[in-house]
Amino acid sequence: MKIICIGRNYVEHAKELNNPVPTVPVIFMKPDTAILKDNKPFYHPDFSTDIHHEIEIVLKVCKEGKHIAEKFAANYYDEIGLGVDFTARDIQQKHKEKGLPWELAKAFDQSAPVSNFIPKSQFSDVYKLDFRLDVNGQTAQKGSTANLIFSFENVIAFVSQYVTLKKGDLIFTGTPEGVGKINIGDRLTAYLGNEKLLDFEIK
Ligand code: ZN
Protein backbone atom coordinates (compact mmCIF):
# COMPACT_ATOMS: atom_id res chain seq x y z
CA MET A 1 0.00 0.00 0.00
CA LYS A 2 0.99 3.61 -0.32
CA ILE A 3 0.20 6.83 1.48
CA ILE A 4 -0.71 9.84 -0.61
CA CYS A 5 -0.69 13.20 1.13
CA ILE A 6 -2.14 16.55 0.18
CA GLY A 7 -0.21 19.64 1.21
CA ARG A 8 -1.87 23.01 1.79
CA ASN A 9 -5.50 22.01 1.63
CA TYR A 10 -6.70 24.56 4.19
CA VAL A 11 -6.22 28.26 3.50
CA GLU A 12 -5.23 29.23 7.05
CA HIS A 13 -2.51 26.56 7.18
CA ALA A 14 -1.00 27.66 3.86
CA LYS A 15 -0.88 31.19 5.24
CA GLU A 16 0.73 30.26 8.56
CA LEU A 17 3.72 28.79 6.69
CA ASN A 18 3.81 31.73 4.25
CA ASN A 19 2.88 29.50 1.33
CA PRO A 20 0.65 30.60 -1.52
CA VAL A 21 -2.85 29.10 -1.59
CA PRO A 22 -2.60 26.44 -4.32
CA THR A 23 -4.76 26.27 -7.43
CA VAL A 24 -4.09 22.54 -7.91
CA PRO A 25 -3.49 20.06 -5.07
CA VAL A 26 0.10 19.71 -3.79
CA ILE A 27 0.89 15.99 -3.60
CA PHE A 28 3.60 14.00 -1.85
CA MET A 29 3.87 10.42 -0.61
CA LYS A 30 5.03 8.41 2.35
CA PRO A 31 6.09 4.75 2.24
CA ASP A 32 4.23 2.02 4.15
CA THR A 33 7.07 2.00 6.70
CA ALA A 34 5.80 5.40 7.90
CA ILE A 35 2.64 3.86 9.36
CA LEU A 36 2.30 3.82 13.14
CA LYS A 37 -0.79 2.03 14.46
CA ASP A 38 -2.62 1.09 17.65
CA ASN A 39 -1.59 4.25 19.50
CA LYS A 40 1.98 3.01 19.82
CA PRO A 41 4.46 5.68 20.94
CA PHE A 42 6.33 7.79 18.44
CA TYR A 43 10.06 7.69 19.04
CA HIS A 44 11.49 11.12 18.26
CA PRO A 45 14.35 10.69 15.78
CA ASP A 46 17.57 12.62 16.36
CA PHE A 47 17.95 13.95 12.80
CA SER A 48 15.47 16.76 13.46
CA THR A 49 14.96 19.25 16.27
CA ASP A 50 11.71 20.61 14.86
CA ILE A 51 9.20 17.86 14.12
CA HIS A 52 5.70 19.29 13.71
CA HIS A 53 2.33 17.65 14.21
CA GLU A 54 -0.20 17.96 11.39
CA ILE A 55 -3.55 16.41 12.22
CA GLU A 56 -5.43 15.25 9.12
CA ILE A 57 -8.53 13.45 7.98
CA VAL A 58 -7.44 10.20 6.30
CA LEU A 59 -9.42 8.33 3.64
CA LYS A 60 -9.02 4.61 3.04
CA VAL A 61 -9.24 3.59 -0.61
CA CYS A 62 -11.59 0.63 -1.16
CA LYS A 63 -10.98 -0.31 -4.80
CA GLU A 64 -8.52 0.07 -7.59
CA GLY A 65 -8.95 2.97 -9.94
CA LYS A 66 -7.19 5.24 -12.38
CA HIS A 67 -8.46 8.27 -14.29
CA ILE A 68 -11.37 8.39 -11.86
CA ALA A 69 -13.99 10.96 -12.76
CA GLU A 70 -14.83 13.37 -9.97
CA LYS A 71 -18.50 12.40 -10.01
CA PHE A 72 -17.59 8.75 -9.23
CA ALA A 73 -14.68 9.49 -6.89
CA ALA A 74 -16.69 9.12 -3.68
CA ASN A 75 -17.13 5.41 -4.51
CA TYR A 76 -13.38 4.87 -4.17
CA TYR A 77 -13.12 5.38 -0.41
CA ASP A 78 -15.33 3.80 2.19
CA GLU A 79 -13.66 4.54 5.53
CA ILE A 80 -12.45 7.65 7.31
CA GLY A 81 -9.93 8.01 10.11
CA LEU A 82 -7.45 10.46 11.56
CA GLY A 83 -3.72 10.60 11.02
CA VAL A 84 -0.80 12.75 11.98
CA ASP A 85 1.50 13.82 9.16
CA PHE A 86 4.70 14.27 11.17
CA THR A 87 6.95 16.71 9.36
CA ALA A 88 10.58 17.54 10.09
CA ARG A 89 10.06 21.26 9.49
CA ASP A 90 13.78 22.10 9.74
CA ILE A 91 14.66 19.58 7.03
CA GLN A 92 11.67 20.60 4.92
CA GLN A 93 12.66 24.27 5.12
CA LYS A 94 16.20 23.54 3.89
CA HIS A 95 14.86 21.47 1.01
CA LYS A 96 12.27 24.08 0.08
CA GLU A 97 14.93 26.80 -0.04
CA LYS A 98 16.93 24.72 -2.51
CA GLY A 99 13.86 23.69 -4.51
CA LEU A 100 14.47 20.04 -3.61
CA PRO A 101 11.89 17.30 -2.87
CA TRP A 102 10.58 16.95 0.72
CA GLU A 103 10.85 13.18 1.20
CA LEU A 104 13.34 13.21 4.06
CA ALA A 105 11.14 15.66 5.95
CA LYS A 106 7.94 13.68 5.41
CA ALA A 107 8.59 10.00 4.73
CA PHE A 108 10.67 8.86 7.69
CA ASP A 109 9.74 5.86 9.84
CA GLN A 110 6.65 6.34 12.04
CA SER A 111 5.86 9.67 10.38
CA ALA A 112 2.25 8.58 9.76
CA PRO A 113 0.40 7.55 12.93
CA VAL A 114 -3.13 6.49 11.94
CA SER A 115 -6.26 5.73 13.94
CA ASN A 116 -8.80 3.01 13.48
CA PHE A 117 -11.11 3.71 10.56
CA ILE A 118 -14.84 4.35 10.67
CA PRO A 119 -17.19 3.41 7.82
CA LYS A 120 -18.08 6.45 5.75
CA SER A 121 -21.72 5.42 5.93
CA GLN A 122 -21.75 6.46 9.62
CA PHE A 123 -21.37 10.13 8.67
CA SER A 124 -24.33 12.05 7.34
CA ASP A 125 -22.10 14.63 5.62
CA VAL A 126 -18.36 14.12 5.16
CA TYR A 127 -17.98 17.86 4.59
CA LYS A 128 -19.19 18.67 8.08
CA LEU A 129 -16.58 16.76 10.04
CA ASP A 130 -14.94 18.57 12.94
CA PHE A 131 -11.61 17.26 14.15
CA ARG A 132 -8.93 18.41 16.51
CA LEU A 133 -5.58 17.58 18.03
CA ASP A 134 -4.78 18.16 21.68
CA VAL A 135 -1.19 18.27 22.93
CA ASN A 136 -0.97 17.51 26.65
CA GLY A 137 -4.68 18.21 26.97
CA GLN A 138 -4.58 21.63 25.27
CA THR A 139 -6.18 22.01 21.86
CA ALA A 140 -3.46 22.82 19.31
CA GLN A 141 -5.28 22.26 16.01
CA LYS A 142 -8.94 22.42 15.14
CA GLY A 143 -10.35 21.86 11.69
CA SER A 144 -13.50 21.22 9.75
CA THR A 145 -13.81 19.52 6.40
CA ALA A 146 -16.17 22.38 5.50
CA ASN A 147 -12.98 24.43 4.96
CA LEU A 148 -11.15 22.12 2.55
CA ILE A 149 -9.78 23.84 -0.55
CA PHE A 150 -9.89 20.62 -2.59
CA SER A 151 -12.72 18.19 -1.87
CA PHE A 152 -12.06 14.48 -1.35
CA GLU A 153 -13.55 13.79 -4.81
CA ASN A 154 -11.36 16.47 -6.34
CA VAL A 155 -8.22 14.99 -4.77
CA ILE A 156 -9.07 11.41 -5.82
CA ALA A 157 -9.81 12.50 -9.38
CA PHE A 158 -6.62 14.53 -9.57
CA VAL A 159 -4.24 11.98 -8.06
CA SER A 160 -5.66 9.07 -10.07
CA GLN A 161 -4.76 10.78 -13.31
CA TYR A 162 -1.13 10.17 -12.40
CA VAL A 163 -1.06 7.32 -9.87
CA THR A 164 -3.34 4.26 -9.80
CA LEU A 165 -5.14 4.01 -6.50
CA LYS A 166 -5.33 0.57 -4.93
CA LYS A 167 -7.49 -0.93 -2.21
CA GLY A 168 -5.91 -0.15 1.17
CA ASP A 169 -4.08 2.98 0.07
CA LEU A 170 -4.43 5.91 2.46
CA ILE A 171 -4.98 9.52 1.52
CA PHE A 172 -3.97 12.19 4.05
CA THR A 173 -6.13 15.15 3.08
CA GLY A 174 -4.21 18.08 4.55
CA THR A 175 -3.89 19.85 7.87
CA PRO A 176 -5.67 22.89 9.28
CA GLU A 177 -3.74 25.71 10.98
CA GLY A 178 -2.03 25.35 14.33
CA VAL A 179 0.84 23.03 13.39
CA GLY A 180 3.61 23.05 15.98
CA LYS A 181 6.67 21.37 17.39
CA ILE A 182 6.40 18.15 19.37
CA ASN A 183 8.62 17.36 22.33
CA ILE A 184 9.62 14.15 24.03
CA GLY A 185 7.10 13.48 26.79
CA ASP A 186 4.16 15.05 24.93
CA ARG A 187 0.87 13.21 24.74
CA LEU A 188 -1.11 13.65 21.54
CA THR A 189 -4.84 12.98 21.48
CA ALA A 190 -7.03 13.49 18.45
CA TYR A 191 -10.78 13.58 18.08
CA LEU A 192 -13.13 13.17 15.16
CA GLY A 193 -16.27 14.89 16.38
CA ASN A 194 -16.42 13.80 20.01
CA GLU A 195 -14.78 10.46 19.43
CA LYS A 196 -11.20 10.02 20.57
CA LEU A 197 -9.38 8.18 17.80
CA LEU A 198 -5.72 8.79 18.61
CA ASP A 199 -3.97 8.84 21.97
CA PHE A 200 -0.23 8.29 22.00
CA GLU A 201 3.02 9.52 23.47
CA ILE A 202 6.18 11.04 22.09
CA LYS A 203 9.17 9.17 23.48
ZN1 ZN B 1 0.24 17.36 5.99
Side-chain angles (χ1 to χ4, degrees):
M1 58 81 67
K2 56 188 173 291
I3 306 166
I4 293 162
C5 305
I6 313 305
R8 305 172 195 165
N9 204 6
Y10 291 87
V11 171
E12 295 306 319
H13 170 62
K15 283 187 189 164
E16 75 179 343
L17 296 181
N18 296 314
N19 289 314
V21 176
T23 52
V24 290
V26 176
I27 307 292
F28 59 93
M29 292 205 232
K30 292 177 188 261
D32 57 3
T33 42
I35 296 273
L36 182 63
K37 280 189 194 165
D38 304 325
N39 285 319
K40 287 191 183 131
F42 172 80
Y43 287 88
H44 198 302
D46 56 13
F47 51 70
S48 171
T49 56
D50 194 22
I51 292 187
H52 277 197
H53 53 74
E54 296 191 353
I55 187 68
E56 310 198 1
I57 297 278
V58 182
L59 312 178
K60 191 184 272 188
V61 174
C62 59
K63 60 177 173 176
E64 186 167 321
K66 66 190 293 185
H67 301 299
I68 299 164
E70 202 170 317
K71 63 178 174 182
F72 300 123
N75 300 329
Y76 285 80
Y77 73 96
D78 64 351
E79 291 181 286
I80 293 176
L82 288 177
V84 180
D85 166 20
F86 277 134
T87 304
R89 199 69 74 198
D90 43 1
I91 296 174
Q92 187 191 36
Q93 191 54 36
K94 280 185 201 151
H95 285 68
K96 276 165 78 173
E97 283 164 12
K98 293 180 185 163
L100 294 170
W102 302 349
E103 259 72 12
L104 286 183
K106 288 286 196 180
F108 53 88
D109 287 354
Q110 299 194 320
S111 62
V114 288
S115 71
N116 289 331
F117 284 80
I118 298 169
K120 185 174 66 173
S121 55
Q122 289 191 16
F123 303 103
S124 56
D125 185 348
V126 297
Y127 293 113
K128 283 184 184 154
L129 298 179
D130 293 320
F131 60 105
R132 73 173 208 267
L133 176 74
D134 291 357
V135 179
N136 303 322
Q138 301 273 28
T139 297
Q141 290 190 265
K142 242 173 128 168
S144 168
T145 53
N147 298 323
L148 283 165
I149 300 172
F150 302 104
S151 70
F152 301 150
E153 288 85 353
N154 203 243
V155 163
I156 288 169
F158 179 79
V159 170
S160 71
Q161 291 178 58
Y162 300 85
V163 179
T164 299
L165 296 179
K166 288 186 157 184
K167 185 177 163 72
D169 288 350
L170 299 180
I171 302 176
F172 277 61
T173 58
T175 196
E177 71 273 21
V179 300
K181 183 181 185 312
I182 52 161
N183 295 292
I184 290 170
D186 284 347
R187 182 167 177 189
L188 272 54
T189 44
Y191 297 79
L192 181 56
N194 292 320
E195 196 168 346
K196 181 157 63 169
L197 290 188
L198 283 170
D199 185 354
F200 66 100
E201 266 184 273
I202 311 300
K203 288 194 171 178

